Amino acid sequence: MAHKQKRYDHHLQQPQLSHQVIKTATAITLGASLVVLSGLTLAATVIGLVVTTPLLVIFSPVLVPALITVSLIFSGFLTSGGLGAAATFVLYWMYRYVTGKHPVGSHQLDIARDKIAGAATGARDKAERLGHQTAGRVSASGVGQGSSTGASTG
């Protein structure tokens, strides 16, 4: 019984010669047909270029502006759609923020708002201090107190 099992394992490990021949023949047939199709495609491309090149040269004064116009129209519609989608999203985000639903990024916006408000308050305080200091210097130096040093005309 062990002898039969060895022969069976040996049979499973090595494929039969006929299977190898069939696989090789199939691979060669498919490879050759793909090479032939590739050659036919190349030939058709070259023939197509030979035929269409004179037409493209003749009609290029019309085709080039038409192509530019079509590309500008397409890019305009694409840009318009993208900006419309972005505006819709921004309005939706603002609605959620105003209604207190805390959309993504609202925390960063709150932090930035607090920083800007703090900087504005600091700038206002500094301006007030400088204004008081300048007013104190002006009153101490006597400028603008109406001193009459000039000759009076009569």
Side-chain angles (χ1 to χ4, degrees):
M1 178 82 161
H3 180 62
K4 285 184 180 180
Q5 183 67 28
K6 268 188 174 178
R7 215 169 59 182
Y8 180 73
D9 289 342
H10 181 68
H11 177 69
L12 286 178
Q13 290 175 356
Q14 286 186 342
Q16 293 178 349
L17 182 62
S18 62
H19 287 275
Q20 287 181 341
V21 169
I22 291 173
K23 287 180 182 178
T24 304
T26 304
I28 289 174
T29 304
L30 285 174
S33 62
L34 289 175
V35 168
V36 168
L37 285 173
S38 172
L40 289 173
T41 304
L42 177 65
T45 303
V46 169
I47 290 171
L49 280 174
V50 166
V51 169
T52 58
T53 299
L55 293 174
L56 288 174
V57 169
I58 290 170
F59 292 113
S60 66
V62 174
L63 292 177
V64 171
L67 181 66
I68 290 171
T69 303
V70 168
S71 64
L72 286 175
I73 290 171
F74 179 74
S75 64
F77 279 129
L78 190 66
T79 303
S80 173
L83 291 175
T88 303
F89 176 75
V90 166
L91 288 173
Y92 174 70
W93 188 93
M94 288 172 54
Y95 170 76
R96 288 181 51 95
Y97 183 77
V98 169
T99 57
K101 294 182 182 172
H102 303 291
V104 175
S106 64
H107 180 66
Q108 287 89 356
L109 183 66
D110 293 337
I111 291 171
R113 184 188 63 216
D114 292 341
K115 284 183 181 179
I116 292 171
T121 303
R124 186 191 67 207
D125 293 343
K126 185 175 181 180
E128 286 178 358
R129 279 194 314 259
L130 289 175
H132 291 301
Q133 288 176 0
T134 305
R137 287 185 192 147
V138 168
S139 65
S141 66
V143 176
Q145 299 233 347
S147 60
S148 56
T149 56
S152 50
T153 57

